[in-house]
Amino acid sequence: MNEVLPKFDSTFSIDCVVFGFDEGELKILLIERNEEPFKDWWALPGNIVGENESLDQSAGRILNELTGLSNIYMEQYYTFGDVNRHPQGRVVSIAYYALLRLGGDKAVKPISTYAKKANWIDVKDLPKLAFDHKKIFETGLEKIKRRIKHQPIAFELLPEKFTLTQLQNVYEVIGDKKLDKRNFRKKMLSFGILKDLEEKQQGVSFRAATLYKFDKRKYAKLFGKEISF
Amino acid sequence: MNEVLPKFDSTFSIDCVVFGFDEGELKILLIERNEEPFKDWWALPGNIVGENESLDQSAGRILNELTGLSNIYMEQYYTFGDVNRHPQGRVVSIAYYALLRLGGDKAVKPISTYAKKANWIDVKDLPKLAFDHKKIFETGLEKIKRRIKHQPIAFELLPEKFTLTQLQNVYEVIGDKKLDKRNFRKKMLSFGILKDLEEKQQGVSFRAATLYKFDKRKYAKLFGKEISF
DNA sequence: AATATAAGGTGTAATATTTACACTAAGTAA
DNA sequence: TTACTTAGTGTAAATATTACACCTTATATT
């Protein structure tokens, strides 16, 4: 930065790819737009960054307005800045993905005041999206596909207590590949980052599975050692 | 984006961490600032994004102005947007790392008109940096440390024709860890992405090593298979 | 021309990891 | 009691990783 700050018509926004996992399906939250441009189109939730907000704060706010939840797991992953990506002017958009637990106790219902309509939609069955949101989504999906191989993000998509089969399911759906049950369990348990809760699933037909939770402390101690799926 | 675009005093810039590798040392390009704020401090090369420039174009331009080179390997890796990161107003900065070949035929000399002074400085011996550039640098270094394990970016730091020892050196310096010569060669060659040029180094004292080049076509064919160091 | 020097280049055995594969156990529902 | 559905488990073969030391080759020196 070698000049005094020049100003021209430009601004920046956040767009969020909010992933949720439910019954073996990976979904994202889409909203139906109420305003031009792209009125009535489906779009990623997003908004302009406030004057006194950091990017992370802004993303957190958007997610909170949309879901009522705070402390959602969230990572910034790429910034989209093509000149003409927004028909009304230069808008650079910083993209975040968020991961959240759909299944389990409480289902997440998008808050209707945020947009005309908001729905969970299976990533395999997405409608056309406004702006360059298709590209933003695809980049985000690629990102979590890579990241799940080396970082413990799968747990963010599951309820706190989960079964090994559920966990395997997350890996299978995101990696788009069936995995061997015995090998999956052996490897996953070998990392030593799961805590056996010595507790069984409730309210299922048929044999109940053992519940586990992700052990953050033990994961932190791996420091440096790579986990790899 | 649900409103008409609001405007307030804000802008965005690009900052670049330009890595170069030479004789076993990993360096970055720093400039000495000529203006307030942080006059006379060392900083990452960067600039405001032009009105009609995409982010990638802007980063390319900055690197071209600085080095005279185009087609430098470059990746956007993170966007920094804390409210007070720039003392003169809200500036969101999109960070890129660039990798370039210092060694070999032609040394890269930073162009002096770009800044009062520009130097290659060993990453192990960096001065204090302006703004939040230390954090930007550290994030970038982390990024390439991770990325070099799974993507063929090491070659970008070497001349087109290189020896296996030089390549091993890149991995050792970036990974901050000595590697076994025989194992390194075995594994690297096993990927089948290096082309043996059947040609020897010139002008070295002592036994000349075989030269290789990175074979992009073969790498592209690996599609999906992961390379892993 | 003989010798010293410095880096290049190579193989193998021990260990660890990954893969492929199929049955029994447990709990629910009819 | 039986049928159904998912949970849970072990082993052998193949592959990948690690640890490790010496000879080769080209140049520089005497």
Side-chain angles (χ1 to χ4, degrees), chain B residues 152 155-156 160 162 193-195 212-216 219:
Chain B
F155 310 109
E156 306 295 335
E160 188 168 15
F162 53 83
I193 60 177
L194 294 188
K195 179 164 188 178
Y212 291 82
K213 70 183 263 223
F214 172 50
D215 189 332
K216 274 186 196 163
Y219 175 72

Side-chain angles (χ1 to χ4, degrees), chain A:
Chain A
M1 253 153 306
N2 293 319
E3 296 95 314
V4 172
L5 299 178
K7 296 292 185 316
F8 44 81
D9 257 14
S10 67
T11 190
F12 33 91
S13 67
I14 304 286
D15 285 308
C16 297
V17 184
V18 186
F19 290 99
F21 185 81
D22 193 19
E23 316 255 335
E25 291 184 337
L26 184 66
K27 301 179 174 187
I28 63 170
L29 254 185
L30 292 181
I31 60 160
E32 201 177 314
R33 287 179 58 82
N34 225 341
E35 294 91 15
E36 294 295 345
F38 292 99
K39 184 159 159 45
D40 303 325
W41 286 55
W42 290 97
L44 297 174
N47 214 325
I48 301 299
V49 177
E51 201 159 351
N52 290 301
E53 268 179 339
S54 74
L55 304 179
D56 287 355
Q57 280 166 1
S58 182
R61 171 179 59 80
I62 289 165
L63 288 173
N64 180 259
E65 287 168 0
L66 180 64
T67 65
L69 302 174
S70 33
N71 292 334
I72 296 177
Y73 178 85
M74 214 175 64
E75 297 276 352
Q76 188 206 298
Y77 69 89
Y78 201 75
T79 295
F80 296 83
D82 280 356
V83 177
N84 296 313
R85 55 176 299 281
H86 194 296
Q88 294 180 346
R90 183 75 190 268
V91 182
V92 169
S93 187
I94 297 114
Y96 281 73
Y97 66 80
L99 303 176
L100 62 85
R101 329 170 189 279
L102 281 190
D105 14 335
K106 52 220 168 202
V108 175
K109 286 225 179 70
I111 292 174
S112 60
T113 52
Y114 180 85
K116 188 164 84 182
K117 215 157 99 182
N119 272 351
W120 287 104
I121 301 183
D122 193 301
V123 296
K124 297 205 164 152
D125 196 27
L126 293 184
K128 281 206 165 185
L129 298 181
F131 306 104
D132 55 354
H133 286 188
K134 178 152 190 254
K135 189 170 156 203
I136 296 179
F137 157 71
E138 283 168 350
T139 310
L141 183 57
E142 275 312 303
K143 219 63 174 185
I144 66 163
K145 281 188 181 195
R146 287 191 162 275
R147 216 161 275 185
I148 201 173
K149 290 191 178 162
H150 306 289
Q151 293 191 251
I153 63 174
F155 310 109
E156 305 295 336
L157 290 165
L158 291 171
E160 187 165 17
K161 301 175 179 187
F162 53 83
T163 69
L164 288 176
T165 300
Q166 290 169 339
L167 183 59
Q168 182 176 341
N169 242 281
V170 171
Y171 280 92
E172 287 180 337
V173 170
I174 293 183
D176 204 14
K177 194 177 162 197
K178 279 268 168 221
L179 299 173
D180 178 86
K181 182 160 68 164
R182 276 176 293 190
N183 293 339
F184 178 83
R185 282 160 186 244
K186 204 188 327 174
K187 193 168 179 184
M188 183 54 82
L189 291 172
S190 77
F191 294 134
I193 60 178
L194 294 187
K195 180 164 189 179
D196 182 338
L197 293 172
E198 298 179 349
E199 194 182 329
K200 299 279 173 182
Q201 273 179 307
Q202 298 294 321
V204 286
S205 321
F206 316 116
R207 181 176 179 184
T210 301
L211 292 169
Y212 290 82
K213 69 183 265 221
F214 173 51
D215 189 332
K216 276 186 196 161
R217 298 179 81 95
K218 288 208 184 129
Y219 175 71
K221 285 188 190 156
L222 289 186
F223 196 72
K225 265 171 241 164
E226 197 156 277
I227 65 173
S228 188
F229 263 92

Side-chain angles (χ1 to χ4, degrees), chain B residues 85-97:
Chain B
R85 55 175 299 281
H86 195 296
Q88 292 179 346
R90 182 75 190 267
V91 181
V92 169
S93 187
I94 297 115
Y96 282 73
Y97 66 80

